[in-house]
Amino acid sequence: MKTRLLYLASLALLAMPAAAQETYENTKLIDNDLNGTARYVGMGGAMEALGADISTISTNPAGVGLFRKSKVDGSLSITSQEKYKSFGNASKTALSFDQLGIVYSMKQDRNSYLNFGFNYHKSRNFNSILSAADALNNASQNKLSYIKYFHKMASDYFNPNDLNLDYTQLDYLYTEHLLYNAVDQTFYNYVANGYVYDRGDKGYIGEYDFNVSGNLGNRWYLGLTVGIHDVHYNGYSEYVERLVDNPEEIGTMAVLDNRKITGTGFDVKVGAIFRPIESSPFRIGAYIHTPTFYDLTTSNYTVLTDGKDAFSSSESLSFRVNTPWKFGLSLGHTVDNVLALGVTYEYADYGSIDSREKDGEYYDSWNGTYYETSSSDKSMNSHTKRTLKGVHTLKVGGEVKVTPHLAVRAGYNFLSGMYNMNDGYKDGSIYSQGSYYASQTDYTNWKDTNRLTCGIGYSIKNFNIDLAYQYSATKGEFHPFMNYYENAVEPSVNDNIANGVKVENNRHQFMMTVGYRF
């Protein structure tokens, strides 16, 4: 490719202050799985009022207050994704260590207990594969950069000596290495007639929960949990466009992107369970989760290539994200120690995610220590508010003891979609450091999620073994890049439009938990 660097010396990826992240990347941090012990999963997670399961430590902390004996649990699972083939380092079927926890119960008097709990579980398993392909008509990823370039040159605010925060790493690669032909001294608008996209994600968010809980007269159960979240995400994608005839005789262009996100966060959860009728086991649960306050680092290595020449870009930045508050209400009831029924409702406003830029490190002369401050990225947060919305979660589950030792379970989950299907898109022209560091243009608007679960449990003496199966199904709409319309009245040859492609994320999970009471 015969190319020449034009004004882009001003856009070179120089060292910058730490930045906020992009909306679609941030959703990786909040979209939790249904995971925990096999009993909890088998009942659809609807145990926030029933309690007495270590997994409620991360939902309603008061559930740990219903333990009357100390207990330890450990869980493994196998997860398999439908439809797609293994890609990159992501496997279609994977073994996972999902949970390990302990509750230590101390009797205070005849009706009161004080319990301490610790539990590790994977709140998010990133292992997944996504593939999409479609035709393109007078459009391309490269054309989007072409449009943005000329809009910048014509805009009043363009400053060739300033970093342009709404100019992404991909814009940099395309503009520097493809748009301009030095021999002809001409800009070429390379369009494609189709694309193929593949992505494989690996990693997890590990949650370490520390709990103190107890009861008051077997009517009130109260709990507090402090959670530490450990993020390990690694995603690799390949986006290939088939270019139409062009002077450079380029057949295909490919973008190979590898992105990592690591870091930690913490949150606090409080909960209560109340039996309104002393003579009845019916109980009501309520809980509140603070935002998870994340301090993260993201890095990428991105290559643009036509199969002969290759040009790369790599960056690393640290940033902060505060997830939304979460609120939950639940009901639970048991009948003669044979039947247990639970229902839970949760709500979180995902549009309130707070992307934050680190302002820098400062020295406190009074205390002789350094401290760091951050501020909200108003531009990115405005995009988040437009793109995401409140999410409603409904959990329903039950357990029947067929014999004193054998239990059968079933459950159902419904999660409303977090994306505004009409207004939600990955905007690569936001004046934000989150856009500046972007190395992908694709996005997927996922719709509602439905989960069906079932399981069995067997206990003898102080031991128990539980098995569970979960089927999770989500449909979505994939877009290779944001659409551009020159005007809203009629179509134009300067439009850059790609149709949405239907995609799915359907998976099976088989889980086993082994526990011991002491």
Side-chain angles (χ1 to χ4, degrees):
M1 287 176 286
K2 302 172 183 178
T3 58
R4 182 167 67 94
L5 181 66
L6 301 176
Y7 80 106
L8 283 171
S10 65
L11 298 176
L13 301 179
L14 304 176
M16 294 179 59
Q21 183 64 301
E22 190 272 335
T23 296
Y24 280 84
E25 294 297 315
N26 287 341
T27 60
K28 295 179 172 67
L29 307 172
I30 58 176
D31 191 15
N32 292 341
D33 300 327
L34 172 62
N35 207 7
T37 67
R39 182 177 182 233
Y40 181 80
V41 172
M43 293 181 66
M47 300 190 67
E48 281 71 34
L50 293 171
D53 189 282
I54 187 65
S55 291
T56 61
I57 196 173
S58 63
T59 53
N60 185 356
V64 180
L66 276 83
F67 277 89
R68 294 296 172 264
K69 287 188 177 181
S70 300
K71 194 171 191 294
V72 60
D73 283 303
S75 305
L76 296 171
S77 74
I78 296 177
T79 302
S80 180
Q81 188 175 357
E82 290 184 354
K83 188 176 179 178
Y84 303 120
K85 298 180 180 179
S86 297
F87 176 77
N89 292 326
S91 176
K92 180 175 180 177
T93 301
L95 178 68
S96 176
F97 171 62
D98 288 327
Q99 179 271 327
L100 179 64
I102 184 172
V103 173
Y104 184 68
S105 182
M106 298 188 300
K107 188 173 183 178
Q108 303 299 298
D109 55 42
R110 189 170 64 90
N111 292 320
S112 298
Y113 288 79
L114 179 64
N115 298 337
F116 295 92
F118 166 77
N119 189 54
Y120 161 81
H121 86 286
K122 282 184 180 178
S123 62
R124 184 73 191 275
N125 187 340
F126 289 122
N127 193 80
S128 65
I129 300 159
L130 179 66
S131 297
D134 200 17
L136 291 172
N137 182 19
N138 191 38
S140 69
Q141 192 180 72
N142 169 77
K143 185 179 177 181
L144 183 62
S145 296
Y146 175 88
I147 293 168
K148 290 174 68 177
Y149 171 84
F150 280 102
H151 277 211
K152 278 185 171 297
M153 293 297 290
S155 65
D156 293 333
Y157 69 83
F158 178 77
N159 182 352
N161 297 316
D162 187 23
L163 290 167
N164 289 266
L165 300 182
D166 55 348
Y167 207 76
T168 70
Q169 292 188 66
L170 274 182
D171 293 330
Y172 164 79
L173 287 172
Y174 274 123
T175 309
E176 181 181 357
H177 300 296
L178 188 60
L179 293 182
Y180 187 76
N181 185 291
V183 176
D184 297 341
Q185 295 185 348
T186 303
F187 284 92
Y188 287 114
N189 181 1
Y190 298 89
V191 295
N193 58 24
Y195 72 87
V196 176
Y197 177 85
D198 292 286
R199 188 181 76 228
D201 291 339
K202 290 277 290 182
Y204 63 93
I205 299 179
E207 186 171 343
Y208 302 82
D209 288 317
F210 302 84
N211 173 275
V212 57
S213 56
N215 71 302
L216 302 173
N218 281 333
R219 295 287 299 278
W220 281 96
Y221 304 86
L222 305 174
L224 170 70
T225 296
V226 176
I228 305 298
H229 303 251
D230 186 24
V231 181
H232 299 270
Y233 168 80
N234 191 338
Y236 173 73
S237 66
E238 295 181 359
Y239 176 76
V240 181
E241 288 183 333
R242 301 185 303 271
L243 300 187
V244 300
D245 293 339
N246 57 83
E248 300 272 355
E249 298 184 351
I250 303 171
T252 61
M253 286 299 303
V255 177
L256 317 179
D257 184 77
N258 194 339
R259 179 167 292 276
K260 296 182 179 180
I261 304 174
T262 58
T264 58
F266 72 92
D267 67 355
V268 178
K269 313 172 187 76
V270 294
I273 297 174
F274 174 58
R275 288 199 302 117
I277 304 172
E278 185 174 6
S279 60
S280 171
F282 173 75
R283 40 199 181 263
I284 302 171
Y287 52 93
I288 299 174
H289 297 183
T290 71
T292 302
F293 302 94
Y294 279 113
D295 190 343
L296 303 166
T297 297
T298 182
S299 60
N300 73 287
Y301 180 72
T302 306
V303 176
L304 175 70
T305 179
D306 64 351
K308 297 179 181 178
D309 298 323
F311 306 92
S312 64
S313 172
S314 61
E315 278 296 331
S316 178
L317 66 111
S318 61
F319 61 100
R320 290 186 177 180
V321 174
N322 298 342
T323 68
W325 289 80
K326 181 181 289 186
F327 306 90
L329 292 172
S330 55
L331 303 174
H333 188 59
T334 59
V335 179
D336 297 329
N337 200 31
V338 173
L339 175 66
L341 299 171
V343 58
T344 297
Y345 169 78
E346 293 179 353
Y347 176 79
D349 180 11
Y350 284 17
S352 66
I353 296 175
D354 184 14
S355 299
R356 303 185 65 83
E357 298 179 359
K358 290 186 177 181
D359 300 323
E361 193 175 67
Y362 302 93
Y363 180 72
D364 185 345
S365 59
W366 287 95
N367 299 318
T369 58
Y370 288 91
Y371 66 94
E372 189 177 65
T373 63
S374 64
S375 57
S376 294
D377 183 344
K378 294 181 180 180
S379 296
M380 188 59 68
N381 287 342
S382 177
H383 174 260
T384 299
K385 189 173 183 64
R386 184 183 73 239
T387 302
L388 305 182
K389 58 184 179 179
V391 171
H392 307 269
T393 302
L394 177 65
K395 306 177 185 179
V396 179
E399 177 184 67
V400 176
K401 284 193 174 181
V402 181
T403 72
H405 301 288
L406 180 65
V408 178
R409 301 155 186 146
Y412 169 73
N413 274 194
F414 171 80
L415 284 75
S416 65
M418 74 173 77
Y419 299 95
N420 287 312
M421 299 302 294
N422 295 326
D423 298 329
Y425 62 93
K426 191 170 190 175
D427 192 341
S429 58
I430 301 173
Y431 195 77
S432 165
Q433 292 175 337
S435 289
Y436 181 89
Y437 280 95
S439 57
Q440 297 175 334
T441 59
D442 67 276
Y443 62 96
T444 304
N445 288 338
W446 294 105
K447 301 179 181 180
D448 301 338
T449 296
N450 290 276
R451 297 168 176 155
L452 294 174
T453 68
C454 62
I456 59 173
Y458 183 79
S459 61
I460 181 170
K461 295 183 179 180
N462 293 337
F463 291 92
N464 67 276
I465 182 169
D466 299 283
L467 303 176
Y469 166 75
Q470 175 183 183
Y471 178 71
S472 176
T474 309
K475 294 182 179 180
E477 188 174 270
F478 172 87
H479 299 261
F481 42 76
M482 62 181 283
N483 289 338
Y484 169 79
Y485 301 85
E486 187 174 46
N487 61 70
V489 178
E490 59 184 12
S492 167
V493 293
N494 294 322
D495 292 346
N496 194 57
I497 303 170
N499 297 323
V501 176
K502 294 181 180 179
V503 291
E504 299 176 352
N505 184 11
N506 302 335
R507 58 186 60 240
H508 306 268
Q509 182 185 29
F510 300 89
M511 174 173 284
M512 179 180 69
T513 299
V514 177
Y516 177 74
R517 294 180 297 277
F518 59 95

